[in-house]
Amino acid sequence: MKKLISTLSAAVIALVSFTGVSNAADSKKPIVIPTHNWSSQVVMAYVIGGIFESMGNNVKYVPADSQAVYESIRIGDVTISHEVWESAFGKSFTTALEKGGILDWGDHEARTLEDMGYPNWVAEKGLCPGLPDWTALKNPDCAKNFVTPDSGGKGRMLEGPQSWHGDLIPQRVEALGLGDLWTVKFAGGADALWAELAAAEKEGRGTIIFNWTPNFTDGAGFTFIDFPPYTAGCRPEDGGDGKCGSPDGYLKKAVNADFPKTHPAAAAAFKKMSFSTSHIGAMASLVDIDKLSHEDAAKKWLADNESVWKPFTK
Ligand code: TMO
């Protein structure tokens, strides 16, 4: 019996040390979290950093390009990405995934849409009858209500920074035969999109901007244009003709392949993390409506939502 017990305990010790990954403490080396140039992403960076810190981890934040970050994760300069938006970054993410060194760490509950649209008062004022059907944009009487001093007499659409989608929207406008009536300008940053909404309303002119959901505008009367449906391969970068809108997209998480080994507890918590459309909309609202700093927004979100995030750490 004694022999059996000692054999058994030896086996248990061997098993524990062999599978010791789940027992090992997280490395004290900082988990590197990237920050990009839209509000929910930055707030969520601090939210997730705060969750990791509550588990005893060290974190570091680095500003990063939202396309190049997947290569940075792959080679280990950045540890995680917590908002991989399919339409904007799916291609860069998939390219890194195929090279190796980065892992798909699952989806948030929220689904995403990233596309051109307009505040509802544009439709209510009758500035472009037929919207949200994209074919309404073929009408010159619509386009003329969207002219700005810099648009050369065409209707203007305001795209986000070019780092998000390159020439996706100008290509689409051309592919759909709208190039004679519409021109696309790029905003320097997200704040310029929100400033454009306010300016257009004040001036009583139409406006079409790039926007996305989840965002603070979800409850605020914004409508996305219905372009021809997205299908796999429809974009020029995938060999298609570009005559398509954006996908009903995923919102993924990704990690450096070593993260589960160096920080097993944090990696397990991050795998469980899943935020909903309303969680992410609230993170953006705290900055874009309530005007808190990103850090303060994250602190407030964590304090108000312990029942959401504490279970991720268990
Ligand atoms: C990546 N974004 C949320 C700005 O569309």
mmCIF file with all atom_site columns, all heavy atoms in Angstrom, residues 241-252:
data_model
loop_
_atom_site.group_PDB
_atom_site.id
_atom_site.type_symbol
_atom_site.label_atom_id
_atom_site.label_alt_id
_atom_site.label_comp_id
_atom_site.label_asym_id
_atom_site.label_entity_id
_atom_site.label_seq_id
_atom_site.pdbx_PDB_ins_code
_atom_site.Cartn_x
_atom_site.Cartn_y
_atom_site.Cartn_z
_atom_site.occupancy
_atom_site.B_iso_or_equiv
_atom_site.pdbx_formal_charge
_atom_site.auth_seq_id
_atom_site.auth_comp_id
_atom_site.auth_asym_id
_atom_site.auth_atom_id
_atom_site.pdbx_PDB_model_num
ATOM 1  N N   . ASP A 1 241 ? -13.835 42.504 -58.752 1.00 0.00 ? 241 ASP A N   1
ATOM 2  C CA  . ASP A 1 241 ? -14.030 43.760 -59.471 1.00 0.00 ? 241 ASP A CA  1
ATOM 3  C C   . ASP A 1 241 ? -14.336 44.935 -58.536 1.00 0.00 ? 241 ASP A C   1
ATOM 4  O O   . ASP A 1 241 ? -14.445 46.078 -58.986 1.00 0.00 ? 241 ASP A O   1
ATOM 5  C CB  . ASP A 1 241 ? -15.130 43.606 -60.539 1.00 0.00 ? 241 ASP A CB  1
ATOM 6  C CG  . ASP A 1 241 ? -16.483 43.231 -59.958 1.00 0.00 ? 241 ASP A CG  1
ATOM 7  O OD1 . ASP A 1 241 ? -16.676 43.377 -58.731 1.00 0.00 ? 241 ASP A OD1 1
ATOM 8  O OD2 . ASP A 1 241 ? -17.364 42.781 -60.734 1.00 0.00 ? 241 ASP A OD2 1
ATOM 9  N N   . GLY A 1 242 ? -14.503 44.650 -57.252 1.00 0.00 ? 242 GLY A N   1
ATOM 10 C CA  . GLY A 1 242 ? -14.695 45.726 -56.287 1.00 0.00 ? 242 GLY A CA  1
ATOM 11 C C   . GLY A 1 242 ? -16.110 46.285 -56.228 1.00 0.00 ? 242 GLY A C   1
ATOM 12 O O   . GLY A 1 242 ? -16.348 47.268 -55.528 1.00 0.00 ? 242 GLY A O   1
ATOM 13 N N   . LYS A 1 243 ? -17.044 45.640 -56.920 1.00 0.00 ? 243 LYS A N   1
ATOM 14 C CA  . LYS A 1 243 ? -18.423 46.156 -56.914 1.00 0.00 ? 243 LYS A CA  1
ATOM 15 C C   . LYS A 1 243 ? -19.203 45.578 -55.736 1.00 0.00 ? 243 LYS A C   1
ATOM 16 O O   . LYS A 1 243 ? -20.255 44.946 -55.927 1.00 0.00 ? 243 LYS A O   1
ATOM 17 C CB  . LYS A 1 243 ? -19.132 45.782 -58.219 1.00 0.00 ? 243 LYS A CB  1
ATOM 18 C CG  . LYS A 1 243 ? -18.521 46.431 -59.460 1.00 0.00 ? 243 LYS A CG  1
ATOM 19 C CD  . LYS A 1 243 ? -19.345 46.033 -60.678 1.00 0.00 ? 243 LYS A CD  1
ATOM 20 C CE  . LYS A 1 243 ? -18.689 46.508 -61.962 1.00 0.00 ? 243 LYS A CE  1
ATOM 21 N NZ  . LYS A 1 243 ? -19.406 46.036 -63.148 1.00 0.00 ? 243 LYS A NZ  1
ATOM 22 N N   . CYS A 1 244 ? -18.695 45.766 -54.526 1.00 0.00 ? 244 CYS A N   1
ATOM 23 C CA  . CYS A 1 244 ? -19.366 45.159 -53.371 1.00 0.00 ? 244 CYS A CA  1
ATOM 24 C C   . CYS A 1 244 ? -19.147 46.013 -52.131 1.00 0.00 ? 244 CYS A C   1
ATOM 25 O O   . CYS A 1 244 ? -18.155 46.737 -52.010 1.00 0.00 ? 244 CYS A O   1
ATOM 26 C CB  . CYS A 1 244 ? -18.848 43.752 -53.112 1.00 0.00 ? 244 CYS A CB  1
ATOM 27 S SG  . CYS A 1 244 ? -17.065 43.650 -52.802 1.00 0.00 ? 244 CYS A SG  1
ATOM 28 N N   . GLY A 1 245 ? -20.101 45.901 -51.199 1.00 0.00 ? 245 GLY A N   1
ATOM 29 C CA  . GLY A 1 245 ? -19.971 46.560 -49.905 1.00 0.00 ? 245 GLY A CA  1
ATOM 30 C C   . GLY A 1 245 ? -19.095 45.744 -48.973 1.00 0.00 ? 245 GLY A C   1
ATOM 31 O O   . GLY A 1 245 ? -18.419 44.790 -49.389 1.00 0.00 ? 245 GLY A O   1
ATOM 32 N N   . SER A 1 246 ? -19.103 46.116 -47.698 1.00 0.00 ? 246 SER A N   1
ATOM 33 C CA  . SER A 1 246 ? -18.259 45.453 -46.709 1.00 0.00 ? 246 SER A CA  1
ATOM 34 C C   . SER A 1 246 ? -18.996 44.274 -46.076 1.00 0.00 ? 246 SER A C   1
ATOM 35 O O   . SER A 1 246 ? -20.219 44.231 -46.080 1.00 0.00 ? 246 SER A O   1
ATOM 36 C CB  . SER A 1 246 ? -17.841 46.458 -45.634 1.00 0.00 ? 246 SER A CB  1
ATOM 37 O OG  . SER A 1 246 ? -17.063 47.480 -46.228 1.00 0.00 ? 246 SER A OG  1
ATOM 38 N N   . PRO A 1 247 ? -18.231 43.315 -45.529 1.00 0.00 ? 247 PRO A N   1
ATOM 39 C CA  . PRO A 1 247 ? -18.867 42.115 -44.961 1.00 0.00 ? 247 PRO A CA  1
ATOM 40 C C   . PRO A 1 247 ? -19.540 42.370 -43.616 1.00 0.00 ? 247 PRO A C   1
ATOM 41 O O   . PRO A 1 247 ? -19.168 43.303 -42.900 1.00 0.00 ? 247 PRO A O   1
ATOM 42 C CB  . PRO A 1 247 ? -17.684 41.165 -44.776 1.00 0.00 ? 247 PRO A CB  1
ATOM 43 C CG  . PRO A 1 247 ? -16.491 42.049 -44.603 1.00 0.00 ? 247 PRO A CG  1
ATOM 44 C CD  . PRO A 1 247 ? -16.765 43.257 -45.462 1.00 0.00 ? 247 PRO A CD  1
ATOM 45 N N   . ASP A 1 248 ? -20.503 41.514 -43.291 1.00 0.00 ? 248 ASP A N   1
ATOM 46 C CA  . ASP A 1 248 ? -20.947 41.321 -41.908 1.00 0.00 ? 248 ASP A CA  1
ATOM 47 C C   . ASP A 1 248 ? -19.745 40.623 -41.269 1.00 0.00 ? 248 ASP A C   1
ATOM 48 O O   . ASP A 1 248 ? -19.511 39.446 -41.509 1.00 0.00 ? 248 ASP A O   1
ATOM 49 C CB  . ASP A 1 248 ? -22.194 40.431 -41.892 1.00 0.00 ? 248 ASP A CB  1
ATOM 50 C CG  . ASP A 1 248 ? -22.451 39.806 -40.532 1.00 0.00 ? 248 ASP A CG  1
ATOM 51 O OD1 . ASP A 1 248 ? -21.999 40.372 -39.513 1.00 0.00 ? 248 ASP A OD1 1
ATOM 52 O OD2 . ASP A 1 248 ? -23.092 38.733 -40.490 1.00 0.00 ? 248 ASP A OD2 1
ATOM 53 N N   . GLY A 1 249 ? -18.926 41.372 -40.527 1.00 0.00 ? 249 GLY A N   1
ATOM 54 C CA  . GLY A 1 249 ? -17.585 40.901 -40.209 1.00 0.00 ? 249 GLY A CA  1
ATOM 55 C C   . GLY A 1 249 ? -17.401 40.393 -38.789 1.00 0.00 ? 249 GLY A C   1
ATOM 56 O O   . GLY A 1 249 ? -18.170 40.707 -37.883 1.00 0.00 ? 249 GLY A O   1
ATOM 57 N N   . TYR A 1 250 ? -16.319 39.649 -38.605 1.00 0.00 ? 250 TYR A N   1
ATOM 58 C CA  . TYR A 1 250 ? -15.916 39.216 -37.255 1.00 0.00 ? 250 TYR A CA  1
ATOM 59 C C   . TYR A 1 250 ? -15.184 40.341 -36.538 1.00 0.00 ? 250 TYR A C   1
ATOM 60 O O   . TYR A 1 250 ? -14.723 41.312 -37.152 1.00 0.00 ? 250 TYR A O   1
ATOM 61 C CB  . TYR A 1 250 ? -15.043 37.954 -37.335 1.00 0.00 ? 250 TYR A CB  1
ATOM 62 C CG  . TYR A 1 250 ? -13.725 38.070 -38.096 1.00 0.00 ? 250 TYR A CG  1
ATOM 63 C CD1 . TYR A 1 250 ? -12.706 38.940 -37.684 1.00 0.00 ? 250 TYR A CD1 1
ATOM 64 C CD2 . TYR A 1 250 ? -13.481 37.277 -39.227 1.00 0.00 ? 250 TYR A CD2 1
ATOM 65 C CE1 . TYR A 1 250 ? -11.492 39.018 -38.366 1.00 0.00 ? 250 TYR A CE1 1
ATOM 66 C CE2 . TYR A 1 250 ? -12.272 37.357 -39.916 1.00 0.00 ? 250 TYR A CE2 1
ATOM 67 C CZ  . TYR A 1 250 ? -11.282 38.227 -39.472 1.00 0.00 ? 250 TYR A CZ  1
ATOM 68 O OH  . TYR A 1 250 ? -10.091 38.310 -40.145 1.00 0.00 ? 250 TYR A OH  1
ATOM 69 N N   . LEU A 1 251 ? -15.078 40.208 -35.239 1.00 0.00 ? 251 LEU A N   1
ATOM 70 C CA  . LEU A 1 251 ? -14.182 41.039 -34.428 1.00 0.00 ? 251 LEU A CA  1
ATOM 71 C C   . LEU A 1 251 ? -13.364 40.050 -33.595 1.00 0.00 ? 251 LEU A C   1
ATOM 72 O O   . LEU A 1 251 ? -13.862 39.454 -32.648 1.00 0.00 ? 251 LEU A O   1
ATOM 73 C CB  . LEU A 1 251 ? -14.969 41.988 -33.518 1.00 0.00 ? 251 LEU A CB  1
ATOM 74 C CG  . LEU A 1 251 ? -14.103 43.006 -32.757 1.00 0.00 ? 251 LEU A CG  1
ATOM 75 C CD1 . LEU A 1 251 ? -13.379 43.958 -33.710 1.00 0.00 ? 251 LEU A CD1 1
ATOM 76 C CD2 . LEU A 1 251 ? -14.940 43.800 -31.760 1.00 0.00 ? 251 LEU A CD2 1
ATOM 77 N N   . LYS A 1 252 ? -12.133 39.841 -34.033 1.00 0.00 ? 252 LYS A N   1
ATOM 78 C CA  . LYS A 1 252 ? -11.306 38.794 -33.451 1.00 0.00 ? 252 LYS A CA  1
ATOM 79 C C   . LYS A 1 252 ? -10.296 39.323 -32.453 1.00 0.00 ? 252 LYS A C   1
ATOM 80 O O   . LYS A 1 252 ? -9.982  40.505 -32.413 1.00 0.00 ? 252 LYS A O   1
ATOM 81 C CB  . LYS A 1 252 ? -10.514 38.088 -34.559 1.00 0.00 ? 252 LYS A CB  1
ATOM 82 C CG  . LYS A 1 252 ? -11.246 36.952 -35.216 1.00 0.00 ? 252 LYS A CG  1
ATOM 83 C CD  . LYS A 1 252 ? -10.297 36.127 -36.084 1.00 0.00 ? 252 LYS A CD  1
ATOM 84 C CE  . LYS A 1 252 ? -11.107 35.139 -36.896 1.00 0.00 ? 252 LYS A CE  1
ATOM 85 N NZ  . LYS A 1 252 ? -11.838 34.174 -36.037 1.00 0.00 ? 252 LYS A NZ  1
#
